[in-house]
Amino acid sequence: MQPRRQPPPAPRSGPGNPRPTAPLLALLLLLAPVVAPAGSRGAEDPGQPQDAEVPRRLLQQAARAALHFFNFRAGSPSALRVLAEVQEGRAWINPKEGCKVDVVFSTERYKPESLLQEGEGHLGKCSARVFFKNQKPRPAINVTCTRLIEKKKRQQEDYLLHKQMKHLEKPLETVSIPDNHGHIDPSLRPIWDLAFLGSSYVMWEMTTQVSHYYLAQLTSVRQWKTNDDTIDFDYTVLLHELSTQEIIPCRIHLVWYPGKPLKVKYHCQELQTPEEASGTEEGSAVPTELSNF
């Protein structure tokens, strides 16, 4: 049996081994690293950073959610953007509260190539902070974009579209855009762009950390006559959820006028909770920030 070892004697204070003073101890404590257990956080701690291990899918998810929100808040079918490429990003994961993502990405104008003028395709960069609250929908978003379409040009295109819609001989009533071959007749492109604009709000509201939606098809459109200058129509869309491959029908009511906040009401089928299944919103009422537009 090995003899039990005695612990080393505690160092004595003295001229050759002075005891640290109280101010020095306090400074050492402030400089010492503090390691928090997983899931804990202080008032300013956003969670555990995941710089090296951020899945590209999460960055793409955040970028798409930010663009849904951006398109809705812009309220302009002439300024619609789609994701071109994620360039960089980082995320903070907190098991109790959710996931915060900072992402930088490039965008393209949402328009057929045949209608684009030279230099119109790529519209520059966007940077966004997206907060997914666990698996709940409607992420909180702050997004800033550069190289926007020139304001005067956007207004001209929007007013031209508005004029075309208001001067129809009879209110529009049609189905299936695009058709079964994926083709969108040029005369119906304004309706598709307006539907995409309104659907952006719905897709933003329904997006979670893992669910991503895109507009697959309009199955019905009905324009209503109005006593003012607004464009008012109901339409039914099929939204495709990518991770589950589900097709979800949504009825959407949209009221639009160039330069005014977009008004959207909707109801979707086959969703889990009433909060996820319906909503109403105006473009100026969302309590998150859109910069540089």
Side-chain angles (χ1 to χ4, degrees):
M1 174 180 291
Q2 296 289 330
R4 184 176 180 181
R5 295 183 179 179
Q6 296 296 323
R12 296 183 179 181
S13 60
N17 192 11
R19 185 185 299 275
T21 62
L24 179 58
L25 284 173
L27 179 60
L28 290 173
L29 287 173
L30 287 173
L31 294 176
V34 178
V35 180
S40 67
R41 63 179 289 176
E44 301 297 330
D45 178 22
Q48 301 298 319
Q50 303 288 328
D51 295 335
E53 302 297 332
V54 179
R56 189 163 188 82
R57 184 179 181 278
L58 177 58
L59 297 180
Q60 291 175 333
Q61 182 79 342
R64 292 189 187 105
L67 277 178
H68 288 326
F69 176 72
F70 179 92
N71 286 332
F72 160 64
R73 286 295 302 274
S76 168
S78 302
L80 292 171
R81 295 180 177 218
V82 291
L83 178 63
E85 183 181 13
V86 170
Q87 297 179 341
E88 59 180 318
R90 60 186 303 189
W92 294 262
I93 310 295
N94 187 295
K96 292 183 179 180
E97 298 195 16
C99 175
K100 182 175 72 175
V101 183
D102 285 348
V103 61
V104 177
F105 54 94
S106 59
T107 65
E108 295 177 341
R109 192 172 183 192
Y110 185 67
K111 205 172 184 181
E113 291 186 8
S114 60
L115 300 180
L116 289 175
Q117 298 179 9
E118 185 176 355
E120 276 194 330
H122 289 273
L123 288 181
K125 283 186 179 181
C126 295
S127 60
R129 171 163 289 183
V130 180
F131 179 68
F132 296 104
K133 190 171 178 61
N134 294 325
Q135 298 305 316
K136 293 184 179 181
R138 189 175 168 131
I141 293 173
N142 186 314
V143 58
T144 302
C145 292
T146 60
R147 288 193 62 198
L148 300 166
I149 180 175
E150 184 183 348
K151 183 177 180 179
K152 183 177 180 181
K153 179 179 178 60
R154 171 171 56 85
Q155 290 176 335
Q156 289 175 342
E157 293 186 12
D158 283 349
Y159 278 108
L160 178 61
L161 186 153
H162 177 269
K163 183 178 179 180
Q164 292 172 342
M165 296 286 294
K166 291 299 288 186
H167 287 78
L168 293 173
E169 293 183 1
K170 61 179 181 178
L172 182 68
E173 191 166 351
T174 187
V175 295
S176 297
I177 307 174
D179 60 24
N180 294 332
H181 302 287
H183 175 69
I184 300 178
D185 188 279
S187 65
L188 298 177
R189 184 75 200 191
I191 299 300
W192 175 262
D193 288 347
L194 275 173
F196 189 97
L197 182 63
S199 300
S200 294
Y201 169 72
V202 181
M203 292 186 286
W204 162 56
E205 277 232 324
M206 293 169 58
T207 294
T208 69
Q209 187 175 330
V210 296
S211 61
H212 164 59
Y213 300 85
Y214 71 87
L215 178 59
Q217 190 178 41
L218 274 72
T219 59
S220 69
V221 179
R222 183 171 183 179
Q223 183 182 355
W224 300 94
K225 283 189 174 181
T226 62
N227 295 324
D228 56 18
D229 289 331
T230 60
I231 302 297
D232 187 328
F233 68 102
D234 292 320
Y235 59 99
T236 301
V237 298
L238 300 180
L239 299 182
H240 184 191
E241 202 290 300
L242 205 61
S243 63
T244 62
Q245 295 299 305
E246 286 186 284
I247 300 295
I248 301 174
C250 296
R251 290 188 58 82
I252 301 175
H253 179 80
L254 180 145
V255 178
W256 174 74
Y257 182 80
K260 299 293 184 181
L262 189 68
K263 297 181 181 180
V264 180
K265 295 181 180 180
Y266 74 94
H267 178 81
C268 297
Q269 299 178 17
E270 298 182 12
L271 291 172
Q272 297 296 319
T273 64
E275 290 80 10
E276 298 176 20
S278 61
T280 178
E281 190 61 88
E282 294 188 15
S284 61
V286 183
T288 38
E289 183 179 341
L290 177 69
S291 304
N292 290 357
F293 194 91

